[in-house]
Amino acid sequence: MADSSPAGLLATQSPWLERVKNLLGPRGYDPSMRRSVQTLVIYEAKRCIQPRIGDLRPFQRKVALVDQAQALVNTLDFCLPHHKAEILWRTSTSRETVTPEICWKRFQLVQKELDRLSEMIKQFMAPERSHQETVDELEQHLFVSLFNCECGIVTAIQLLGCPLKCSIGHHIAAAPCLCASRAYAHNHVILAFRLYYKGSELDPEFPDPVPPKNIVVPAVMPTKERRGSNNDKDDGDTDMITTAGIGRKSQGGAAAPAYTFIQPPNPAEERRKLLQEVKDHLALLKEFEDIAGEEEILKRRRDLFAALPPIPPPYNSNKRARLG
C-alpha cells in the first residue's frame, strides 16, 4: 500500500529532494555535510512558509520555520536515522536542536551570505563554464583567500593540492586544494548556492516548494519566549483548530496549505478530563475484581487516588459579599 502521508508524498514527488540527492552525488550524505544540509533544509522550510508569511505573527513564523525544517529532515531518505537526528543540532558539542529563534536567525545569515556570493561569483562567470564549474572556481578562491603570505595566496602551512597561479602570476606547486571534506566545513552556504542559484541570480526554473506538512503555530506566544528564553519545548498533543483554505494562493494558483492554531490548554477542561479518566479506570478495575488479585486492585486504586488533581479551594461567601 502506498504511503499517503505528507512526508511519504514529499519523498516520492518532491523535486527539491531529488535535486538535493543529485547534488550530493552517488556517495550520498556524510556527517561532514551536516551544517550544509541544515542550511538547505532551513532555506527550503522558509520557501514552504513564504506564501503564508503575511498571515503569521513574528513568533509564529519562527515556530513554523523550525517545524517545517524538522518535517523536511524526516523526508531525507538518503540519511540514516541517527544522521537525521543530528542535522538540526545547534552545534555538534551541545547536541541540542535549534530553537525557533536560532533557526530564524540562521536563515537570515544564510540569506546574507547568498547575497554576498551572488556578487562575488560574477568575476568568475564565463560563457564556457557551467554554473557548477563557476561555483567551483568561487569556492576555491574563498578557500585560498583564508591563507596569508607575501603574495597573498600561499599558506605558511603547505598543504598538498593542485597547482595554480597566484594573483601576480607565480606558479605554486603545493597550493591549498579544496577537497570535499574541507569544502563542507569551509562554507556551509555554498551547497545552497549551488542548488538554488544559476549564475548570480536565483534559478528561475527551480520548482515551487512542496510543504511536507500543514503549517502549525501556537495561537499565543509561549510564556518562556516572552521572557526571552530560547528553551522552546513541545508540550505534546493539544486541542487544535484547523483553518483550511484561508489566506493567499500560491504562485501556481492553488490554495496555499492550511495552517493550524494550537489553542492553549484550559485548566478547568484539563481537570475534568483527568477526573473522567480516573473514573473510567476505577470502573474498569471493578470489572476485573474476580480476575486480578486483591493486592493488585488495591495498589492500582491507590495509584489512581494519587493521580487525582488537587481539591478546589472552598467557596468564600465573604468575598462575594465584599464584591457586592
Side-chain angles (χ1 to χ4, degrees):
M1 183 176 178
D3 186 1
S4 59
S5 64
L9 291 174
L10 184 74
T12 56
Q13 299 177 4
S14 171
W16 173 81
L17 184 59
E18 293 301 321
R19 291 198 176 204
V20 171
K21 293 164 70 172
N22 292 336
L23 186 60
L24 296 182
R27 294 188 178 182
Y29 179 80
D30 182 86
S32 64
M33 305 175 182
R34 185 187 70 83
R35 280 300 303 273
S36 295
V37 174
Q38 181 188 114
T39 298
L40 294 182
V41 167
I42 291 177
Y43 193 85
E44 184 64 16
K46 179 58 165 59
R47 295 178 71 234
C48 290
I49 69 171
Q50 186 59 39
R52 311 289 281 190
I53 204 77
D55 300 331
L56 303 175
R57 295 165 63 186
F59 80 92
Q60 292 173 332
R61 299 171 187 177
K62 299 171 185 178
V63 173
L65 180 66
V66 76
D67 190 43
Q68 291 291 314
Q70 185 60 64
L72 286 169
V73 168
N74 294 337
T75 67
L76 302 180
D77 54 6
F78 54 83
C79 289
L80 296 174
H82 66 283
H83 286 155
K84 288 183 182 180
E86 299 171 356
I87 289 177
L88 287 181
W89 279 354
R90 181 175 180 178
T91 64
S92 297
T93 304
S94 68
R95 300 191 173 188
E96 297 176 352
T97 304
V98 293
T99 62
E101 184 72 27
I102 293 174
C103 190
W104 187 266
K105 288 180 179 178
R106 288 196 172 177
F107 167 76
Q108 292 176 322
L109 293 174
V110 167
Q111 188 59 63
K112 288 181 180 179
E113 180 64 12
L114 288 173
D115 294 340
R116 186 178 78 94
L117 294 176
S118 66
E119 290 296 322
M120 293 186 65
I121 199 173
K122 294 178 181 179
Q123 59 182 307
F124 301 99
M125 294 173 62
E128 67 276 7
R129 289 178 184 167
S130 66
H131 174 65
Q132 299 302 331
E133 292 172 342
T134 307
V135 177
D136 289 341
E137 294 289 330
L138 172 61
E139 193 172 21
Q140 177 68 29
H141 168 76
L142 292 172
F143 179 70
V144 171
S145 63
L146 293 176
F147 302 92
N148 298 317
C149 78
E150 293 181 356
C151 68
I153 199 168
V154 183
T155 173
I157 304 175
Q158 291 295 327
L159 302 174
L160 296 178
C162 55
L164 55 90
K165 293 183 179 180
C166 68
S167 58
I168 58 177
H170 294 161
H171 182 77
I172 305 166
C177 182
L178 185 62
C179 64
S181 60
R182 294 195 191 105
Y184 295 111
H186 164 58
N187 189 320
H188 56 262
V189 183
I190 283 286
L191 197 65
F193 190 76
R194 289 182 181 275
L195 182 67
Y196 290 102
Y197 278 71
K198 192 171 184 179
S200 60
E201 303 290 338
L202 285 168
D203 186 357
E205 299 178 356
F206 201 89
D208 291 336
V210 181
K213 60 179 294 187
N214 288 342
I215 299 176
V216 179
V217 292
V220 295
M221 183 184 297
T223 305
K224 292 182 180 180
E225 190 169 336
R226 291 196 196 108
R227 296 174 181 172
S229 172
N230 287 331
N231 188 20
D232 299 320
K233 295 182 179 179
D234 185 5
D235 294 328
D237 295 334
T238 56
D239 295 334
M240 298 182 181
I241 298 177
T242 304
T243 55
I246 298 178
R248 297 185 300 274
K249 293 187 177 180
S250 62
Q251 295 178 356
Y259 57 91
T260 305
F261 289 106
I262 303 176
Q263 299 297 323
N266 186 330
E269 184 64 26
E270 293 295 318
R271 179 186 177 84
R272 282 191 290 270
K273 287 182 180 180
L274 183 56
L275 289 172
Q276 183 61 44
E277 186 176 358
V278 172
K279 183 179 179 181
D280 293 341
H281 275 280
L282 287 173
L284 189 62
L285 286 177
K286 191 173 183 179
E287 296 180 8
F288 285 91
E289 284 181 346
D290 298 334
I291 300 176
E294 183 178 353
E295 293 185 1
E296 179 66 20
I297 294 294
L298 288 175
K299 179 181 179 299
R300 290 182 178 272
R301 284 177 176 172
R302 292 192 192 99
D303 293 340
L304 288 172
F305 179 78
L308 286 171
I311 300 175
Y315 175 74
N316 191 341
S317 58
N318 293 332
K319 182 178 180 180
R320 180 181 178 86
R322 285 195 302 270
L323 290 176

